[in-house]
């Protein structure tokens, strides 16, 4: 067991984060081109190419649903329009924030490899967003089966949002 206060066991945790969550420029990321019979496409970590971002975490906050996105190709700009690949709906990026624990730093642009959060996007965890120039869909992250399983029927809105975040 480690403790940040005693500075014990922290370095192995940080090393694991780097190993399991590499920067998109350090690994080969692929998407499926929906317009070409789901042919695999390699994503290039360049800000000059069409935007491809993955929603990987949803959080219900005081301003509504906070959607965390990782940009794998291209860039996201405040005020730009992005397309939700699953539904085909266009959504305006009204606010982009960089998260620092519980603090939010407003930013105008997020580049390739960066993680940001935004408000007002109705989606599920694992959904792909593009700038409309391409019709790519990234595969959802692999989550191994649980050792113990339990079925819960949502009875409140919060429970329904929780299940939406995990199971789409």
């Amino acid at each position: 067991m480690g403790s940040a206060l005693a500075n014990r066991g922290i370095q192995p945790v940080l090393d694991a984060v780097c190993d399991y969550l590499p920067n998109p420029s350090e690994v080969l990321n692929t998407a499926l081109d929906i317009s070409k019979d789901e042919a695999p496409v390699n994503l290039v970590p360049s800000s000059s190419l069409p935007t491809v971002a993955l929603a990987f975490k949803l959080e219900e906050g005081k301003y509504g649903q906070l959607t965390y996105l990782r940009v794998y190709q291209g860039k996201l700009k405040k005020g730009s329009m992005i397309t939700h690949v699953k539904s085909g709906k266009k959504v305006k990026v009204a606010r982009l924030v960089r998260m620092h624990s519980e603090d939010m730093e407003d930013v105008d642009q997020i580049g390739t490899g960066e993680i940001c959060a935004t408000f007002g996007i109705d989606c599920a965890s694992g959904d792909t967003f593009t700038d409309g120039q391409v019709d790519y869909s990234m595969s959802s992250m692999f989550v191994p089966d649980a050792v113990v399983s339990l079925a819960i029927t949502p009875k409140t809105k919060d429970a329904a949002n929780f299940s939406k975040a995990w199971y789409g």
Side-chain angles (χ1 to χ4, degrees):
M1 200 72 162
S3 169
L5 295 175
N7 200 20
R8 289 186 307 195
I10 300 305
Q11 193 59 49
V13 171
L14 295 175
D15 292 341
V17 167
C18 292
D19 290 342
Y20 291 107
L21 301 171
N23 185 307
S25 66
E26 297 173 349
V27 294
L28 178 63
N29 294 293
T30 58
L32 302 175
D33 190 344
I34 296 173
S35 63
K36 295 183 180 175
D37 242 1
E38 296 187 356
V41 177
N42 292 335
L43 298 177
V44 179
S46 170
S47 292
S48 62
L49 293 174
T51 302
V52 179
L54 181 71
F56 67 91
K57 179 181 176 182
L58 307 175
E59 182 179 302
E60 196 63 36
K62 59 185 174 185
Y63 303 112
Q65 178 175 298
L66 183 64
T67 303
Y68 288 81
L69 298 165
R70 179 148 210 188
V71 179
Y72 283 86
Q73 180 176 284
K75 59 188 166 200
L76 276 178
K77 290 183 180 179
K78 178 181 173 182
S80 66
M81 297 295 283
I82 57 175
T83 302
H84 183 206
V85 174
K86 188 189 284 185
S87 69
K89 292 181 182 176
K90 291 188 183 250
V91 182
K92 184 175 181 177
V93 180
R95 185 177 178 196
L96 276 178
V97 294
R98 190 174 280 132
M99 298 299 293
H100 301 284
S101 184
E102 293 181 357
D103 298 328
M104 295 180 201
E105 172 193 355
D106 283 294
V107 293
D108 292 327
Q109 180 174 300
I110 295 291
T112 301
E114 292 186 272
I115 293 173
C116 67
T118 187
F119 297 94
I121 296 180
D122 185 28
C123 67
S125 183
D127 286 354
T128 305
F129 292 89
T130 68
D131 58 6
Q133 296 180 38
V134 293
D135 201 13
Y136 295 169
S137 178
M138 296 188 71
S139 58
S140 189
M141 293 174 272
F142 171 74
V143 178
D145 291 333
V147 178
V148 177
S149 65
L150 177 65
I152 300 173
T153 305
K155 295 196 184 270
T156 66
K157 183 180 179 200
D158 291 339
N161 286 339
F162 179 77
S163 65
K164 178 181 174 185
W166 282 99
Y167 303 108

